[in-house]
Amino acid sequence: MRRFTQTFLFASVAVGAILCGAGRLMAQDAARPWMNPKLAPEQRAGMVLKQLTLDEKLALLHGNGMPFVPQWQMPLTHLANGGAGYVEGVPRLGIPPLIISDAAYGVRGSGSNGRYSTAMPSNLGAASSWNPQAACAYGTVIAQELRAQGFDMTLGGGVDLVREPRNGRTFEYTGEDPLLAGTMTGSMMRCEQAQHVVGDIKHYVMNDQETGRMYVSAEIAKKAMQESDLLAFHIAIALAQPAAVMCSYNRINGVYACENPYTLRDVLKKNWGFQGFVISDWGGTHSTVAASAAGLDQEQPAADFFGPKLKEAVEAGKVPLAEIDDHARRVLYAEFLSGVVDDPPQKSVVDVRKGLEVAQKVEEESIVLLKNHSGLLPIDPARVRSIAILGGHADVGMISGGGSAQVDPPGGNAILPPGQGATVWGRPDWFPTSPLKALRAALPETKIVFDAGDDLDAAARLAKDSDLAIVFADQWESEGQDLPSLALGGNQNALIERVAAANPHTIVVLESGTAVTMPWIDKVDGVVEAWFAGSSGDKALANVLMGKVNPSGKLPITFPKSEDQLPHRSIPAPSAADQAEAKDNPATPHTRYAVDYTEGQVVGYKWFETRHEQPLFPFGFGLSYTTFAYADLSVDAANKTVRFTVKNTGKRAGTEIAEVYAQLPQGADESDYRRLAGWARVALQPGESKTVTVPIDPRVLKTFDAAKEAWNLAPGDYAVFVGGSSASTPLNAVLNLR
Ligand code: BGC
């Protein structure tokens, strides 16, 4: 009896507690109707906004410092989880803080955090796959690792057009074509945000060089900007629906990007209907009233202009409350849209295996085979009994991209300081992904010997004594500095020349962040572009060199023969006076330093076409170990599609990226160059044919009328070209648009 009473008592207390808890929950839900995930994000944001005090709204509009950066320490900086920034939430209403990390090609290793993150191939590398699904997998891994590390917002999503290939951040961007770049970055960020992190697209806009980046003015006509850099952003933003867009450091036609009413208010928010928030680049805010009116919603990483000064401006009636409400509503909307309110991140163990697998798959699709004279590749172990591996620290690892994109090398830096896994700003980091070791594992019967390449005579001797010589060449890139030129640094060109002279069977593997000039191109048998290859780069590269994977990547940028072919011979340096002015007043530098983008919208391959210049390797170019033939092009004008057949005419299975270009009607404005209008990846067994239908994207065929702020699609006959690169289009037809 006693036992029964006890059990009964316990059970009733427990049931009572549950009921009571449920009652509390229900009461809480009733008091917080915005916690209902079935409501639209804008509705939920509107409900929360009504509950906020002015101080709570203002707290959403600025950062709280940046760990590891001495000048950006604030009272709440320690809450940033060792990332890039922290924005207070509203705990009483269930709104979580923004805990922000850089994550261009993986979660950044900030300062001495030393966390594990997978490095995917560089963004430019991944763009060479022309595979939106690969970009999606890339973004998914990054988001899952951000969440496992306790972050709920990414600062990835670079989509500035590579109009200046010497820009030190080309590796963070996705190429020179608006459709390709917008599609690849947009797909990556769409999938990243789908994992419940606040997504971001950056650096808006015309952030096309690093020299004088805090004050340079990008000079460009509206029409040209709309049809090039803005178009890339629009395509990415339409695809990703990102919760945030980061405005850039530079000025645009004299006005800072983070206080530019044309690009922020008129284009992004009004014309494109962007409902998320504009976040400034770190230290990219220069005013309070002007920036707020122009459409900047959140200052980062501090509160120099959007902290006490913004409150004063509101109280003085200089910034209307409606503007503050709009900024705050956008931040709240971003949190609901991305799912971080309903599903905040939980720190957990990163799925290392999954990351490495995806990184390898993406790199295998991203490697571009640029030259393969007389089928030297893939390596045939029956014929190649000895291999000389030269240079590029290939005995220990592969290089990675620097700056705020830098990921800590899992396994520790391959080169000094060893074993720490920590990265230092401005110093190149080699991942411990050794191609030498990967090749030795893949070819256990072959004699493979390494030489660092410092002593050219020794390198030539080793090459001479080997059946095959592979020279590894690297070109490091980092935020904060541009490349002085596209030439390989140090003695690398000389090394390649000497090795090629000693052994006719020489292959060059490039680990670069952008295009490379190749004065030795006619002297080598093979060139493989591996980009910054990420955490599994060694395995992916070995698979391609061995033919386990048939390369399919195609260039997302033009490789010029010489820099004389580019629209600008070099990046103009700021004058001493410009630099001094900027230094005197770092918060609001005012200089006349400007770069005039006279080529306008005629970027990359379009420039080469209008100038009748032959590049070293054209945009869209890449070889395979098999061959493909194109036939039977037909167009469907009503549906704006083209149909054609691709056949694998070789002996190996392979994937062809079939590219579709279109040219505006003769006599129309800008009819002197082709534009990429679509593409398809076609996987084919030997001898197999497939007929594919590719939609023509009308956004790239339109021209912008700056006077009317409107887009036109000219009626008439559009020439359509189909083939394996921008310079090889065996099929053509006419698409008549009325
Ligand atoms: C970079 C941004 C980055 C930010 C935060 C800036 O220097 O330009 O791309 O997200 O720092 O680290």
Side-chain angles (χ1 to χ4, degrees):
M1 181 65 196
R2 232 179 115 209
R3 249 181 84 195
F4 170 78
T5 321
Q6 267 180 358
T7 315
F8 175 77
L9 266 178
F10 175 76
S12 2
V13 169
V15 171
I18 289 167
L19 284 177
C20 217
R24 252 205 316 272
L25 267 180
M26 276 163 65
Q28 203 176 50
D29 281 357
R32 291 178 168 188
W34 55 86
M35 294 311 265
N36 178 358
K38 293 201 181 102
L39 299 179
E42 51 273 28
Q43 203 181 348
R44 301 172 76 183
M47 288 171 170
V48 174
L49 186 66
K50 287 200 188 115
Q51 308 290 322
L52 298 186
T53 64
L54 178 63
D55 285 334
E56 283 171 331
K57 289 175 190 170
L58 291 169
L60 297 173
L61 309 187
H62 64 80
N64 286 282
M66 188 180 196
F68 311 114
V69 180
Q71 74 269 27
W72 278 332
Q73 296 303 305
M74 292 170 68
L76 301 183
T77 308
H78 62 283
L79 298 175
N81 192 29
Y86 178 81
V87 179
E88 280 180 274
V90 193
R92 70 180 181 93
L93 303 177
I95 303 302
L98 295 177
I99 308 174
I100 309 171
S101 176
D102 278 302
Y105 64 86
V107 185
R108 175 186 186 179
S110 292
S112 54
N113 257 355
R115 297 172 299 234
Y116 174 85
S117 313
T118 306
M120 306 304 287
S122 63
N123 304 78
L124 188 75
S128 312
S129 73
W130 297 50
N131 185 355
Q133 270 128 37
C136 178
Y138 187 113
T140 303
V141 165
I142 292 178
Q144 289 170 345
E145 295 194 359
L146 279 164
R147 287 175 57 86
Q149 296 181 28
F151 295 107
D152 63 5
M153 177 165 179
T154 176
L155 298 178
V159 72
D160 296 83
L161 275 198
V162 177
R163 67 166 61 239
E164 169 49 81
R166 287 157 297 213
N167 174 5
R169 301 187 84 169
T170 50
F171 74 99
E172 292 184 55
Y173 300 142
T174 40
E176 68 190 24
D177 178 78
L179 184 61
L180 180 65
T183 304
M184 293 303 287
T185 300
S187 302
M188 179 195 78
M189 196 45 69
R190 183 174 59 77
C191 294
E192 199 165 330
Q193 189 166 282
Q195 295 295 318
H196 303 162
V197 297
V198 174
D200 167 52
I201 293 285
K202 72 183 186 185
H203 309 89
Y204 187 73
V205 60
M206 299 300 302
N207 191 198
D208 295 340
Q209 68 171 47
E210 290 297 282
T211 304
R213 66 173 177 160
M214 303 302 286
Y215 50 89
V216 63
S217 176
E219 303 286 314
I220 186 164
K222 269 187 191 173
K223 170 183 168 63
M225 175 164 57
Q226 283 279 2
E227 293 179 16
S228 56
D229 295 53
L230 281 176
L231 181 57
F233 272 90
H234 192 194
I235 292 172
I237 289 169
L239 194 53
Q241 300 287 319
V245 166
M246 182 194 284
C247 52
S248 52
Y249 285 138
N250 55 286
R251 291 176 293 156
I252 305 150
N253 297 324
V255 182
Y256 279 107
C258 289
E259 56 185 49
N260 195 306
Y262 179 66
T263 53
L264 297 181
R265 189 191 59 202
D266 300 347
V267 177
L268 177 68
K269 291 184 172 175
K270 278 199 196 141
N271 295 352
W272 299 352
F274 172 67
Q275 291 184 64
F277 71 100
V278 174
I279 180 172
S280 80
D281 199 345
W282 266 229
T285 309
H286 299 279
S287 63
T288 302
V289 177
S292 173
L296 176 68
D297 299 301
Q298 189 183 80
E299 175 189 0
Q300 286 290 354
D304 296 340
F305 297 97
F306 275 30
K309 283 188 188 163
L310 187 54
K311 190 171 182 184
E312 277 164 34
V314 172
E315 286 166 350
K318 289 183 190 153
V319 170
L321 250 183
E323 222 167 86
I324 301 298
D325 281 353
D326 183 52
H327 299 320
R329 189 183 44 73
R330 285 170 177 276
V331 177
L332 295 168
Y333 168 82
E335 292 212 25
F336 285 115
L337 175 79
S338 58
V340 304
V341 179
D342 303 324
D343 182 24
Q346 302 287 325
K347 280 198 181 184
S348 61
V349 175
V350 168
D351 187 345
V352 179
R353 278 173 196 268
K354 181 180 174 197
L356 292 175
E357 262 170 41
V358 175
Q360 180 171 336
K361 182 111 203 314
V362 175
E363 174 66 2
E364 286 172 350
E365 290 189 355
S366 304
I367 290 171
V368 185
L369 178 62
L370 291 173
K371 181 170 182 183
N372 191 17
H373 184 66
S374 58
L376 185 58
L377 289 173
I379 298 168
D380 176 0
R383 285 192 312 170
V384 177
R385 307 300 305 158
S386 58
I387 303 178
I389 304 277
L390 305 128
H393 300 288
D395 55 333
V396 289
M398 296 177 91
I399 203 163
S400 58
S404 63
Q406 182 73 58
V407 174
D408 278 342
N413 299 332
I415 301 174
L416 290 173
Q420 294 306 308
T423 56
V424 177
W425 186 274
R427 191 198 62 198
D429 287 289
W430 267 264
F431 279 52
T433 48
S434 157
L436 174 70
K437 289 182 193 154
L439 279 173
R440 280 187 178 150
L443 291 164
E445 307 293 319
T446 309
K447 183 179 168 208
I448 306 183
V449 180
F450 175 76
D451 182 281
D454 299 329
D455 174 345
L456 298 185
D457 293 330
R461 274 197 303 276
L462 175 63
K464 192 159 190 273
D465 292 345
S466 311
D467 294 337
L468 175 69
I470 308 180
V471 185
F472 283 80
D474 53 70
Q475 172 216 51
W476 181 63
E477 272 197 330
S478 173
E479 172 183 343
Q481 50 190 287
D482 291 319
L483 292 175
S485 90
L486 299 178
L488 291 170
N491 76 344
Q492 298 186 98
N493 279 339
L495 173 66
I496 295 168
E497 299 265 1
R498 281 296 300 276
V499 169
N503 187 329
H505 303 308
T506 293
I507 288 163
V508 177
V509 174
L510 296 167
E511 296 166 29
S512 78
T514 183
V516 171
T517 50
M518 307 181 199
W520 33 260
I521 187 67
D522 294 331
K523 299 174 189 157
V524 301
D525 265 3
V527 180
V528 176
E529 175 59 86
W531 310 109
F532 299 150
S535 292
S536 304
D538 50 343
K539 295 187 185 66
L541 179 66
N543 281 347
V544 166
L545 294 176
M546 297 297 305
K548 273 195 181 167
V549 167
N550 192 349
S552 59
K554 300 236 172 143
L555 292 180
I557 51 173
T558 307
F559 277 40
K561 277 186 197 146
S562 110
E563 284 162 73
D564 294 344
Q565 294 181 307
L566 298 174
H568 307 271
R569 292 282 152 85
S570 60
I571 297 179
S575 70
D578 289 335
Q579 288 182 48
E581 269 176 308
K583 222 174 173 182
D584 283 352
N585 192 356
T588 51
H590 189 78
T591 73
R592 271 155 299 167
Y593 178 53
V595 176
D596 206 349
Y597 292 114
T598 46
E599 76 283 6
Q601 72 277 24
V602 187
V603 173
Y605 63 94
K606 297 167 183 164
W607 171 261
F608 277 75
E609 186 176 353
T610 55
R611 293 289 155 144
H612 308 291
E613 290 277 357
Q614 298 297 318
L616 178 61
F617 294 110
F619 173 81
F621 176 81
L623 299 168
S624 162
Y625 296 146
T626 187
T627 46
F628 301 98
Y630 286 78
D632 302 331
L633 174 63
S634 62
V635 299
D636 177 343
N639 290 311
K640 296 199 187 69
T641 58
V642 298
R643 229 169 114 84
F644 53 90
T645 302
V646 189
K647 182 173 185 186
N648 181 342
T649 49
K651 296 197 178 71
R652 281 171 185 266
T655 296
E656 169 72 334
I657 298 168
E659 302 161 33
V660 180
Y661 295 85
Q663 197 161 356
L664 300 198
Q666 284 304 312
D669 183 21
E670 302 165 45
S671 61
D672 56 342
Y673 57 89
R674 302 170 183 191
R675 303 132 184 258
L676 179 71
W679 70 89
R681 300 181 87 255
V682 194
L684 295 165
Q685 292 301 316
E688 191 189 4
S689 293
K690 274 185 193 156
T691 300
V692 290
T693 302
V694 179
I696 301 269
D697 196 315
R699 289 173 297 185
V700 304
L701 303 183
K702 291 183 179 167
T703 54
F704 189 75
D705 181 336
K708 295 192 184 135
E709 283 285 326
W711 290 92
N712 295 323
L713 187 62
D717 288 340
Y718 288 71
V720 173
F721 305 88
V722 176
S725 88
S726 60
S728 162
T729 49
L731 305 182
N732 61 79
V734 170
L735 172 77
N736 186 273
L737 295 182
R738 307 236 156 257

